[in-house]
């Protein structure tokens, strides 16, 4: 799943170099390990970084993303809190007000809802309310989305709520290299970042040299990649615009389409906020057709926003309406039924057929 | 950083007082009250104090400093209410009747300590040192809080009830991790104690053994809803023991008692004994804000009854009797209060300095391309308007 980028030199350099070095060293790394390493490297690089949440200490988190951090950095740098999400976020706000860089974990997407008031009314607005005097550099990590056979309340794609809130940045990596790089960038950001981790990717592996990636990151620290989308696959007939857990699905669809002689470009948004209109528009202007693929329910969603932006900017280049493949507007289904709800390569290809191709 | 540590500290400090940990955490049997409504010092056995809950009288100098802030606070409340009536300010939640609480909340702190106020706590914010016109910025209808929280160690006045208590916990926690001995006073009202964040904040503060004083002004109403409909607890201060912290009740119209209780709480917290919960019994003499009509939910008789317990006349009577309030001292205090009121009048006479272009500047550290676009749109509209 290594990729090339034609857009951002930072992204393309990093991923290309990582790919090359990994090939040389041939060490598969999981998405989860990349996140874990990013946290450890951030704790080492900056002493104001503190990590806390539910079960993140001794246990290392229910997904083991904070595994070993308490043992290595001590209970003051990575610790368990009482079971209260609003409390976790609210305390992080105060710590960020007072010189710290909290990186906190919400155990699952739906369990971040108790913290919604803190996130909306304070995390997002403190900088503005104080005319920039109280920035809140903090990261809220949220494992999200389905595809793992999770039960009720464990599979929500809740990115729209946060993307709709001015003052929050919203990141969601889809590759192992981005898991590392984007988490480091989020932690170094002066703005609060909601960091969405597609939980189905935690165990996915790629050939990535994490040490090289770390060196790469330190070297280019100031040059941000936020707001820069990634061309995950170059193509010319239509564009699939997607992010997070749906990137791999879109890649699969592109592969199948190629077998039928259709060349699909796949754009990985990476950061929903800030949004990279330029890369997305350039791709759609080139191909003239677009489908937005996202796992979240489609009504009033991030996918809807992307469709609107594309038609505002690319209307005269479009040969067909911009369509969407999203989750249905239903509560996320039970494990036995989730496959009917999740966007699939087949559903993407069916939708592709509707893009008014000339006979 | 564990409950064990908190329990150990509590048992240690209660032993020092020669009482059980439970008796240390439970409020004294009666609320702490040093001065009668007419300003006479109550006999020592009627002050509500008991072993482990001892409250010495503050020094005369301290009392005079507090009284001066009290007089200014009352003047500010009344000036602001007048400015609202004259249409020169958008909204004002007056704390008329509660000024003693607010003065004590700010004066008990030392340099470097933090205050977390609510919308009701203008007088506390002023007493913490924030410039009068800066305090009033948001009530004027501007989009920001008006002051630099870091310059004054005073958080923006919070409106979403009790959310700020958790921020107070975070500020204390960060300070503790860095080895700084910062005490934080976090304020809220009686109604607000029903919110979930109140519970989460008290629990976090106790579990992490943090020097936070939760200071509740029980003014008997949450807008229209009387206290009896907020809680069935014996008192709000009794909630403390459930979290493993000490609680106390104090007469919130008795500045002398408040100064004594708050000063002791700050000392205990600074010495590492964890958080405390202080409930001050007071009364909101005016409507919730100028937009509220309190005739719809309470009787005049009740308000009149509380007028007799006024914190300003009570303290004045005591200081007069004690020979501390000389004519010269009284004149100086009035003069200081009038200067602040004049500041407010002059300030409010000037137009607010609001530039709509600025609305995009502080949403993020750097404007997103989308915000830059939207700002350009507005700038263009404004330019055409001016042309
Ligand atoms: C979370 C939240 N819910 C509702 C409100 C609306 N509101 C503002 S003040 C208030 C009453 C609060 O009463 P209390 O805590 O007793 O404080 P007081 O106004 O008496 O000082 C209410 C309901 C709010 N600001 N925040
Ligand atoms: Mg009240």
């Amino acid at each position: 799943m290594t990729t090339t980028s034609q857009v951002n030199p930072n992204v393309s350099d990093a991923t290309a170099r990582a790919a090359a070095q990994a090939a040389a060293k041939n060490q598969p790394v999981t998405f989860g390990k990349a996140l874990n390493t990013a946290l450890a490297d951030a704790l080492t690089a900056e002493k104001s970084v503190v990590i806390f949440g539910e079960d993140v200490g001794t246990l290392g988190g229910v997904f083991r993303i904070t595994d070993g951090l308490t043992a290595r950095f001590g209970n003051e740098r990575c610790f368990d809190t009482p079971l209260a999400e609003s409390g976790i976020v609210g305390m992080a706000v105060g710590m960020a007000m007072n010189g710290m860089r909290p990186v906190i974990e919400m155990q699952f997407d739906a369990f971040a809802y108790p913290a919604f008031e803190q996130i909306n009314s304070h995390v997002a607005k403190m900088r503005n309310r104080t005319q920039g005097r109280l920035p809140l550099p903090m990261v809220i990590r949220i494992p999200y989305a389905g595809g793992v056979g999770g039960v009720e309340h464990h599979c929500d794609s809740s990115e729209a709520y946060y993307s709709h809130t001015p003052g929050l940045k919203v990141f969601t990596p889809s590759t192992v290299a981005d898991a590392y790089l984007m988490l480091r960038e989020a932690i170094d950001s002066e703005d609060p970042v909601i960091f969405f981790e597609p939980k189905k990717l935690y165990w996915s592996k790629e050939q990535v040299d994490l040490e090289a990636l770390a060196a790469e990151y330190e070297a280019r620290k100031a040059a941000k990649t936020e707001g820069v989308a990634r061309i995950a696959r170059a193509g010319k007939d239509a564009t699939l615009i997607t992010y997070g857990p749906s990137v791999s699905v879109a890649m699969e669809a592109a592969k199948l389409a190629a077998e039928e002689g259709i060349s699909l470009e796949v754009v990985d948004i990476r950061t929903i906020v800030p949004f990279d209109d330029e890369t997305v528009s350039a791709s759609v202007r080139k191909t003239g057709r677009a489908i937005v693929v996202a796992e979240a329910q489609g009504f009033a969603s991030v996918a809807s926003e992307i469709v609107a932006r594309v038609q505002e900017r690319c209307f005269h280049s479009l040969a067909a309406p911009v369509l969407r493949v999203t989750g249905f507007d239903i509560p996320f289904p039970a494990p036995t039924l989730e496959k009917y709800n999740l966007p699939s390569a087949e559903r993407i290809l069916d939708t592709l057929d509707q893009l008014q191709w000339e006979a | 950083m564990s409950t064990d540590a908190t329990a150990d500290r509590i048992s240690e400090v209660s032993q020092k007082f020669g009482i059980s940990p439970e008796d240390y955490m439970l409020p004294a049997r009666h609320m702490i009250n040093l001065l009668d409504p007419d300003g006479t010092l109550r006999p020592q056995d009627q002050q509500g104090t008991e072993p482990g809950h001892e409250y010495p009288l503050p020094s005369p100098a301290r009392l005079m400093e507090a009284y001066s802030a009290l007089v200014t606070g009352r003047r500010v409340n009344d000036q602001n209410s007048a400015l609202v009536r004259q249409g020169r300010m958008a909204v004002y939640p007056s704390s008329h009747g509660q000024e003693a609480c607010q003065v004590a909340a700010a004066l008990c702190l030392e340099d470097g300590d933090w205050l977390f106020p609510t919308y009701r706590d203008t007088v506390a914010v002023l007493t913490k040192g924030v410039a009068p016109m800066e305090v009033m910025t948001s009530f004027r209808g501007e989009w920001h809080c008006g002051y630099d929280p870091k310059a004054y160690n005073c958080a923006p006045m919070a409106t979403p009830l009790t959310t700020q208590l958790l921020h107070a916990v975070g500020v204390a926690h960060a300070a503790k991790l860095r080895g700084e001995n910062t005490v934080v006073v976090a304020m809220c009202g009686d109604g607000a104690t029903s919110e979930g964040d109140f519970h989460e904040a008290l629990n976090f503060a106790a579990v992490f053994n943090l020097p936070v004083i939760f200071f509740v002004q029980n003014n008997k109403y949450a807008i229209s809803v009387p206290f009896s409909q907020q809680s069935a607890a014996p008192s709000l201060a009794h909630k403390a023991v459930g979290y493993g912290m000490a609680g106390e009740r104090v007469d919130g119209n008795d500045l002398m008692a408040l100064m004594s209780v708050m000063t002791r709480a700050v000392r205990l917290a600074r010495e590492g004994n964890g958080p405390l919960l202080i409930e001050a019994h007071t009364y909101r003499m005016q409507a919730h804000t100028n937009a509220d009509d309190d005739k719809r939910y309470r009787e005049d008789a009740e308000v009149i009854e509380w007028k007799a317990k006024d914190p300003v006349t009570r303290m004045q009577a005591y200081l007069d009797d004690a020979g501390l309030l000389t004519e010269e001292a009284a004149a100086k205090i009035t003069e200081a209060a009038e200067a602040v009121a004049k500041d407010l009048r002059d300030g409010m006479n000037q137009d607010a300095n609001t530039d709509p272009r600025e609305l995009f500047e502080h949403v993020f550290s750097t404007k997103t391309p989308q915000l830059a676009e939207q700002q350009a749109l507005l700038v263009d509209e404004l330019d055409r308007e001016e042309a």
Side-chain angles (χ1 to χ4, degrees):
Chain A
M1 221 165 63
T2 38
T3 50
T4 53
S5 166
Q6 309 171 330
V7 188
N8 183 318
N10 296 321
V11 177
S12 76
D13 282 4
T15 31
R17 223 172 299 171
Q21 278 163 343
K25 291 201 180 179
N26 196 27
Q27 39 174 222
V29 174
T30 64
F31 194 91
K33 180 65 189 167
L35 293 169
N36 176 267
T37 308
L39 292 173
D41 289 357
L43 283 165
T44 306
E46 176 54 61
K47 68 177 193 301
S48 59
V49 173
V50 281
I51 294 170
F52 52 93
E54 295 160 8
D55 300 293
V56 301
T58 311
L59 181 67
V62 292
F63 292 108
R64 309 290 184 268
I65 305 303
T66 56
D67 188 29
L69 298 181
T70 302
R72 184 169 156 201
F73 295 94
N75 193 42
E76 303 207 322
R77 304 292 305 282
C78 179
F79 55 89
D80 290 325
T81 65
L83 227 172
E85 293 75 14
S86 189
I88 293 166
V89 174
M91 182 166 81
V93 167
M95 293 180 86
M97 284 171 74
N98 198 7
M100 298 301 208
R101 285 180 179 270
V103 182
I104 57 182
E105 178 172 303
M106 298 284 104
Q107 203 156 64
F108 283 89
D109 33 60
F111 305 137
Y113 299 145
F116 200 63
E117 183 186 24
Q118 284 289 347
I119 296 175
N120 246 270
S121 297
H122 295 295
V123 175
K125 299 193 177 91
M126 192 66 82
R127 169 187 284 279
N128 191 66
R129 177 182 298 120
T130 59
Q131 287 182 299
R133 287 151 168 161
L134 277 188
L136 294 183
M138 57 186 277
V139 179
I140 304 176
R141 295 182 34 246
I142 306 182
Y144 85 123
V148 292
V151 294
E152 234 195 335
H153 309 301
H154 292 73
C155 296
D156 282 12
S157 286
S158 46
E159 66 271 21
Y161 306 127
Y162 306 95
S163 305
H164 190 63
T165 304
L168 300 176
K169 289 191 168 159
V170 181
F171 290 13
T172 180
S174 74
T175 68
V176 171
D178 261 353
Y180 179 88
L181 290 170
M182 289 171 68
L183 186 51
R184 290 296 308 272
E185 207 168 294
I187 296 171
D188 283 336
S189 171
E190 290 308 308
D191 298 306
V193 177
I194 312 294
F195 196 85
F196 277 108
E197 300 168 3
K199 59 175 92 69
K200 77 168 189 193
L201 295 183
Y202 277 147
W203 304 274
S204 72
K205 284 183 183 166
E206 288 175 50
Q207 308 288 328
V208 166
D209 181 346
L210 286 176
E211 265 175 48
L213 217 50
E216 175 73 39
Y217 179 74
E218 293 297 339
R220 67 145 180 85
K221 221 169 182 176
K224 293 182 183 174
T225 71
E226 67 170 45
V228 181
R230 180 179 68 98
I231 306 294
R233 179 186 173 114
K236 59 180 180 30
D237 296 329
T239 304
L240 302 181
I241 307 162
T242 185
Y243 56 85
S246 299
V247 173
S248 56
V249 185
M251 292 298 276
E252 191 194 331
K255 204 171 123 212
L256 292 172
E259 287 166 13
E260 294 173 25
I262 302 172
S263 159
L264 294 184
E265 180 145 302
V266 178
V267 180
D268 174 4
I269 294 302
R270 297 175 73 249
T271 66
I272 299 171
V273 183
F275 188 79
D276 184 356
D277 279 312
E278 243 177 77
T279 303
V280 170
S281 302
S283 173
V284 177
R285 283 194 200 107
K286 181 181 77 179
T287 62
R289 288 178 170 82
I291 299 172
V292 182
V293 184
E295 194 177 310
Q297 57 275 24
F299 193 85
S301 64
V302 171
S304 313
E305 174 64 22
I306 296 175
V307 171
R309 305 187 78 79
V310 168
Q311 72 83 18
E312 281 167 357
R313 285 164 179 75
C314 310
F315 186 75
H316 293 292
S317 312
L318 283 171
V322 182
L323 298 181
R324 283 175 294 167
V325 177
T326 67
F328 297 125
D329 296 326
I330 54 173
F332 196 88
T336 49
L337 298 167
E338 72 169 333
K339 63 173 182 287
Y340 299 106
N341 181 60
L342 295 172
S344 62
E346 292 70 35
R347 202 171 280 162
I348 295 171
L349 293 179
D350 286 348
T351 308
L352 189 64
D353 287 343
Q354 297 167 34
L355 290 181
Q356 306 186 4
W357 305 93
E358 288 94 52
Chain B
M1 279 218 307
S2 69
T3 24
D4 293 352
T6 309
D8 288 351
R9 290 301 306 198
I10 297 256
S11 102
E12 217 175 281
V13 67
S14 55
Q15 267 168 31
K16 213 162 61 188
F17 293 124
I19 54 175
S20 72
E22 288 74 17
D23 283 339
Y24 170 74
M25 288 188 279
L26 282 167
R29 229 154 261 104
H30 300 284
M31 99 182 158
I32 308 303
N33 180 9
L34 305 182
L35 290 183
D36 270 330
D38 67 3
T40 19
L41 186 64
R42 293 167 75 94
Q44 207 166 3
D45 61 350
Q46 288 171 39
Q47 292 176 353
T49 58
E50 51 185 70
H53 299 260
E54 283 113 349
Y55 294 99
L57 307 190
S59 72
R62 191 87 171 125
L63 286 177
M64 286 298 284
E65 182 193 9
Y67 175 70
S68 178
L70 183 71
V71 171
T72 297
R74 171 61 54 84
R75 186 71 188 90
V76 164
N77 268 329
D78 294 346
Q79 180 63 74
N80 284 339
S81 295
L83 286 165
V84 168
R85 282 194 301 276
Q86 293 156 16
R88 283 194 280 169
M89 202 161 69
V91 65
Y92 186 63
S94 174
S95 63
H96 189 117
Q98 301 175 222
E99 294 93 344
C101 297
Q102 310 228 342
V103 164
L107 282 187
C108 67
L109 294 172
E110 289 172 17
D111 285 351
D113 292 343
W114 274 80
L115 182 73
F116 279 77
T118 74
Y119 53 89
R120 178 87 54 215
D121 303 320
T122 296
V123 172
V125 176
L126 264 173
T127 310
K128 188 82 171 77
V130 182
M133 274 309 289
E134 290 185 2
V135 185
M136 299 315 300
T137 307
S138 55
F139 295 127
R140 270 190 109 169
E142 287 214 47
W143 58 273
H144 56 85
C145 79
Y147 51 92
D148 181 353
K150 280 187 174 146
Y152 300 104
N153 285 4
C154 182
M157 285 182 266
T159 307
L161 301 170
T162 66
T163 52
Q164 77 282 4
L165 305 185
L166 282 160
H167 310 164
V169 168
V171 163
H173 201 160
K176 184 177 176 179
L177 290 179
R178 284 198 300 264
E180 299 160 3
N181 206 347
T182 305
V183 174
V184 183
V185 166
M187 306 175 74
C188 75
D190 50 305
T193 64
S194 303
E195 293 279 0
D197 277 3
F198 175 80
H199 160 68
E200 295 189 22
L202 269 71
N203 192 43
F204 272 56
V207 167
F208 293 114
N209 197 43
L210 299 171
V212 181
I213 292 149
F214 297 97
F215 183 58
V216 182
Q217 292 170 77
N218 183 346
N219 64 5
K220 309 297 177 286
Y221 288 92
I223 308 185
S224 67
V225 180
F227 179 64
S228 58
Q229 288 183 48
Q230 294 295 345
S231 175
S235 85
L236 290 174
H238 278 82
K239 294 193 174 205
V241 64
Y243 296 102
M245 68 173 78
E248 201 70 279
R249 284 173 290 186
V250 56
D251 184 328
N253 288 17
D254 177 353
L255 183 58
M256 191 190 281
L258 282 158
M259 288 298 292
S260 190
V261 167
M262 291 301 280
T263 305
R264 178 177 181 270
V266 168
R267 182 169 48 76
L268 284 169
R270 204 182 308 279
E271 286 168 359
N273 302 303
L276 294 100
L277 171 62
I278 310 292
E279 176 189 15
H281 278 275
T282 181
Y283 193 75
R284 197 193 75 210
M285 293 298 289
Q286 297 176 349
H288 172 68
T289 68
N290 48 294
D292 175 40
D293 175 9
D294 61 336
K295 299 258 182 294
R296 293 175 71 96
Y297 53 83
R298 69 181 181 187
E299 301 291 331
D300 281 347
E302 188 183 279
V303 181
I304 290 164
E305 195 186 309
W306 275 91
K307 195 163 166 36
K309 303 179 192 170
D310 186 76
V312 183
T313 50
R314 183 185 309 202
M315 198 61 210
Q316 183 185 18
Y318 171 82
L319 294 171
D320 250 343
D321 278 359
L324 291 165
L325 200 59
T326 61
E327 230 171 83
E328 189 192 355
K332 253 200 188 142
I333 288 169
T334 310
E335 197 183 313
E338 286 308 323
V340 174
K342 182 173 184 314
D343 233 33
L344 288 169
R345 283 194 308 273
D346 291 351
M348 293 295 169
N349 270 336
Q350 274 152 36
D351 286 339
N353 188 18
T354 309
D355 182 351
R357 295 168 185 86
E358 219 193 323
L359 294 172
F360 302 87
E361 292 300 333
H362 302 291
V363 182
F364 293 107
S365 53
T366 342
K367 245 171 282 164
T368 60
Q370 290 75 21
L371 283 181
E373 243 175 59
Q374 292 166 24
Q375 188 182 36
L377 182 103
L378 180 64
V379 168
D380 183 53
E381 275 178 20
L382 294 170
D383 287 349
R384 278 183 288 147
E385 225 168 72
E386 277 163 26

